[in-house]
Amino acid sequence: MLEPLTFPAGFLWGAATSAYQIEGAVREDGRTPSIWDTFSHTPGRTVGGDTGDVAVEHYHRYRDDVALMAELGLGAYRFSVSWPRVQPTGRGPAVQRGLDFYRRLVDELLARGIEPALTLYHWDLPQELEDAGGWPARETAYRFAEYAGLVAEALGDRVESWITLNEPWCSAFLGYGSGVHAPGRTDPAAALQAAHHLNLAHGLGTQALRAALPARARVAVSLNSAVVRALSQAPGDVDARRRIDNLANGVFHGPMLHGAYPADLLADTARVTDWSCVREGDLAAIQQPLDALGLNYYTPSLVSAAPAGGSSRADGHGASDHSPWPGAEDVTFHQTPGECTDMGWTIDPTGLHELIMRYTREAPGLPLYVTENGAAYDDKPDAEGRVHDPERIAYLHGHLAAVRRALADGADVRGYYLWSLLDNFEWAYGYSKRFGAVYVDYETQVRTPKSSAEWYAAVARTGSLPAAE
Ligand code: PNW
């Protein structure tokens, strides 16, 4: 038996980032614009017109950043590769200078005993591929598989842990549905086609990885597996929950884990698309055996059938007149009661427990990782330059206790990646939201571990949570 609040030996303690959010250096070493460069440079798309042009200069400061991870005693680091750094036009041979950056980064991690977990796609599609149709175009899935193979050839000798896609829900439904993420399109049919081609990209990409990687490599995908709850047990609310759950979860894990789209999802969305984008053989291609599943969790959703008079867009998924829920535009999203983070996202660790137990049933035998979890707060250094963030410590404590509870309930969770290592470019929110365990002064680029970083370092070192916070 495990002692209370003690994690299993070998549990992986990590932190996560993504390329566009931290690297900067957007015009160096042959990199071309991604859809996020274009989007963030379009007036009105991000808070304050912020862009990732400089971000936190990780491209040039990666050595110091890895040293910081080592100081914090991290066992693992999840980062993403910038597609347009490696394959500027989204086609053809790889740019060696681009790949060399990730080789140096990985070597630095390995030298310090930190396990790299590489995400291939964290939303930075080469702009040329968007111009050719983007994710609603089938060709993009083939291009992704080629890119996956190139990265695997280059880094397969030193990276064992691979993640195909990060949160394809955001790419498809925020990118092509509500338009609050790049490329900012608002076409419900295109959003569903994008979801299918992201699924196909995952399947074909996994096959390309298997072909290029040694047998010891592990392949996974990170889903922002939503926890969707009904406002009441009234049939309309229960049905709203079912429909949103399919659009958030089933649309991805259906084909990936079970080889089929949920029949009710196809029926619910029939007036949006006829799903003719799903071709013979696609479902078999998508359902690849995986070595692990990554779950990203921040907050649950609370939904009901629309009251007479229309639906609400206050769903915590960003401000837009367009819904990110094709065919379920009528569903109303409610604020879950309770305290919120700076994103306005309600703090509810029971959702993480629920999510882990759901995937324990949905994918029996598949090891799970929490590949993102964390909180934004309006952190500020005090007079001595220290950053105290007790709210973030409380958030992390509560969510890690939920993971621990899931382990006790029989879930096979192998590790946890805090989002995020550093304050960074929070997409449409620009630099206005700070998720880091490490504070970044955006003027000087000086990094200061917040008190949560020190707290997390102690958790990682001892493999257990302190009794009370
Ligand atoms: C995730 N939503 O983004 C991403 O993987 C990270 O890059 C990001 O920084 C982090 O979570 C915090 O936001 C999301 O609207 C963005 O539901 C939006 C949503 C979910 C996740």
Side-chain angles (χ1 to χ4, degrees):
M1 274 303 285
L2 293 169
E3 292 300 314
L5 303 180
T6 298
F7 284 73
F11 189 87
L12 216 50
W13 299 98
T17 63
S18 87
Y20 190 68
Q21 294 180 275
I22 64 166
E23 285 180 359
V26 292
R27 279 175 281 273
E28 289 178 45
D29 295 335
R31 184 188 179 280
T32 57
S34 76
I35 54 174
W36 268 99
D37 295 87
T38 308
F39 187 78
S40 66
H41 278 273
T42 304
R45 292 304 205 172
T46 64
V47 171
D50 288 349
T51 73
D53 286 4
V54 176
V56 297
E57 288 183 352
H58 174 74
Y59 195 72
H60 294 296
R61 294 170 182 269
Y62 72 93
R63 271 201 189 86
D64 294 344
D65 289 340
V66 175
L68 198 53
M69 294 177 217
E71 263 170 55
L72 296 177
L74 297 186
Y77 175 54
R78 173 176 177 246
F79 65 95
S80 81
V81 170
S82 161
W83 188 346
R85 241 184 236 300
V86 166
Q87 219 188 10
T89 63
R91 297 164 206 280
V95 170
Q96 288 309 315
R97 281 172 301 164
L99 286 171
D100 284 344
F101 168 70
Y102 297 104
R103 276 199 199 96
R104 292 193 304 270
L105 170 64
V106 167
D107 287 348
E108 202 71 24
L109 291 165
L110 295 175
R112 295 188 180 265
I114 301 169
E115 187 180 315
L118 184 157
T119 303
L120 284 164
Y121 187 72
H122 202 125
W123 309 353
D124 43 359
L125 187 72
Q127 182 61 42
E128 279 205 29
L129 291 185
E130 176 57 29
D131 296 342
W135 286 111
R138 187 176 176 87
E139 173 71 7
T140 304
Y142 298 111
R143 299 279 58 82
F144 176 79
E146 185 185 78
Y147 157 69
L150 291 177
V151 180
E153 294 285 349
L155 299 171
D157 59 342
R158 55 198 92 185
V159 175
E160 291 190 10
S161 185
W162 295 73
I163 296 164
T164 54
L165 307 176
N166 177 69
E167 302 197 357
W169 183 83
C170 292
S171 301
F173 296 104
L174 300 182
Y176 296 90
S178 66
V180 301
H181 278 189
R185 289 172 57 186
T186 53
D187 174 347
L192 290 170
Q193 285 150 12
H196 178 63
H197 296 136
L198 283 153
N199 281 327
L200 188 60
H202 161 77
L204 299 176
T206 300
Q207 292 176 20
L209 291 177
R210 298 287 187 207
L213 294 173
R216 65 173 188 280
R218 296 181 305 275
V219 179
V221 62
S222 284
L223 301 177
N224 54 321
S225 357
V227 173
V228 189
R229 295 169 178 161
L231 186 65
S232 82
Q233 287 312 302
D237 292 356
V238 172
D239 199 56
R241 196 214 75 80
R242 177 192 64 74
R243 289 188 288 147
I244 295 298
D245 185 59
N246 266 338
L247 286 164
N249 299 305
V251 68
F252 300 107
H253 77 227
M256 286 182 187
L257 301 179
H258 310 306
Y261 285 101
D264 53 347
L265 167 74
L266 300 180
D268 290 341
T269 52
R271 63 182 171 78
V272 182
T273 177
D274 61 5
W275 290 91
S276 55
C277 62
V278 183
R279 301 218 188 132
E280 175 105 40
D282 283 4
L283 292 166
I286 296 167
Q287 190 189 16
Q288 294 299 312
L290 294 176
D291 302 302
L293 186 65
L295 304 175
N296 295 356
Y297 174 81
Y298 292 91
T299 189
S301 298
L302 186 61
V303 302
S304 72
S311 67
S312 148
R313 295 272 183 273
D315 62 359
H317 298 111
S320 170
D321 295 336
H322 299 270
S323 167
W325 305 106
E329 295 85 356
D330 56 305
V331 171
T332 300
F333 281 74
H334 303 265
Q335 184 77 37
T336 300
E339 237 177 273
C340 289
T341 68
D342 203 31
M343 296 295 285
W345 295 350
T346 305
I347 304 165
D348 187 350
T350 66
L352 181 54
H353 177 265
E354 202 176 311
L355 181 67
I356 294 169
M357 297 319 292
R358 179 207 186 146
Y359 279 93
T360 296
R361 290 188 299 274
E362 196 90 45
L366 196 58
L368 304 177
Y369 288 83
V370 176
T371 38
E372 283 180 27
N373 175 241
Y377 284 104
D378 187 17
D379 306 304
K380 291 193 177 67
D382 68 12
E384 279 82 53
R386 282 191 289 261
V387 183
H388 297 282
D389 56 345
E391 308 92 341
R392 186 172 287 101
I393 294 176
Y395 182 99
L396 296 174
H397 192 284
H399 287 78
L400 283 167
V403 173
R404 179 62 190 77
R405 235 169 24 250
L407 286 165
D409 293 341
D412 184 10
V413 187
R414 303 281 178 93
Y416 174 93
Y417 293 86
L418 185 162
W419 185 271
S420 180
L421 176 70
L422 302 162
D423 289 338
N424 62 47
F425 175 76
E426 176 51 29
W427 307 113
Y429 295 91
Y431 299 98
S432 69
K433 304 292 177 197
R434 293 179 177 272
F435 273 94
V438 174
Y439 183 86
V440 179
D441 179 326
Y442 294 123
E443 298 294 319
T444 62
Q445 296 290 350
V446 169
R447 277 87 160 128
T448 306
K450 303 176 189 176
S451 43
S452 60
E454 277 145 33
W455 179 88
Y456 189 61
V459 171
R461 193 174 59 244
T462 59
S464 66
L465 290 175
E469 279 303 322

